[in-house]
Amino acid sequence: MIKTKGINHIALVCRDMKETVQFYTEVLRMPLFKTVQLPDGGQHFFFDCGGGASVAFFWWKDAPAPAPGIASVKHFPMDAKTAVGSMNHLAFDMEEAELEATIERLKEAGVPHTPVVVNHDDSPGGVAQENHDGVFVRSVYFTDPNGIMLEFAATTKEFGPDDVAHEPATIEA
């Protein structure tokens, strides 16, 4: 049996390492704890995002161009689909009490974001205007300088057997 302890890191690709370092260290206040100069001239930098996990970025001068709507979200929430095998977004776990403060921090830094905390629930639309007992995650969404959609997410309830209520879809259906 393979037994993991959680996510060690996620590795993404940035367009400008200096800009990425500034955003993650100054705006998101995630310490840069390891830098690697790659033999091909690229770089690989690691940021501490808490709980023993990290977010890492590769940078190469000749990396392929961004592909919004394919490899990244084009515009949340109106156009949030991405291609098979792509990363849709990265969610950082945080306490619910911290969410409002993150909106202010993003606003101060000039980072576009959802204007309110999004209340995810099991309603047909998947979100509620107000927080209620059926809300299971509350979130704030924004993008980094690379166009990567990020989320600050606070789980607001414990999950149980009733929370697994849908059959998995298949292309064959």
Side-chain angles (χ1 to χ4, degrees):
M1 179 192 328
I2 296 174
K3 184 170 179 161
T4 65
K5 298 187 300 181
I7 300 295
N8 180 285
H9 72 276
I10 183 167
L12 306 167
V13 178
C14 66
R15 67 179 180 182
D16 183 302
M17 190 62 85
K18 185 174 183 177
E19 175 184 54
T20 299
V21 168
Q22 183 273 328
F23 183 81
Y24 281 83
T25 61
E26 295 177 23
V27 176
L28 300 188
R29 298 189 175 138
M30 294 181 183
L32 175 65
F33 71 89
K34 177 65 178 164
T35 65
V36 177
Q37 189 69 40
L38 301 172
D40 63 2
Q43 295 183 319
H44 193 31
F45 285 20
F46 294 77
F47 302 87
D48 181 347
C49 66
S54 59
V55 178
F57 281 90
F58 283 103
W59 172 86
W60 295 283
K61 185 191 293 191
D62 59 350
I70 298 170
S72 62
V73 170
K74 191 176 264 186
H75 189 269
F76 180 82
M78 288 72 73
D79 198 357
K81 290 180 187 172
T82 55
V84 172
S86 68
M87 185 193 77
N88 186 271
H89 70 280
L90 174 60
F92 298 106
D93 188 32
M94 70 171 31
E95 295 296 325
E96 184 178 4
E98 297 292 319
L99 288 173
E100 295 296 333
T102 64
I103 290 176
E104 288 307 310
R105 177 73 187 125
L106 294 170
K107 194 181 297 181
E108 289 169 8
V111 177
H113 58 280
T114 51
V116 295
V117 175
V118 178
N119 299 302
H120 300 272
D121 68 1
D122 289 323
S123 66
V127 295
Q129 292 290 323
E130 303 291 327
N131 192 7
H132 61 82
D133 288 344
V135 170
F136 56 88
V137 172
R138 302 189 74 217
S139 304
V140 174
Y141 293 91
F142 56 101
T143 57
D144 81 353
N146 305 293
I148 297 167
M149 188 166 77
L150 304 174
E151 174 186 6
F152 287 136
T155 302
T156 58
K157 68 171 245 176
E158 284 199 33
F159 296 105
D162 292 343
D163 290 301
V164 180
H166 305 90
E167 285 297 316
T170 177
I171 195 83
E172 315 264 327

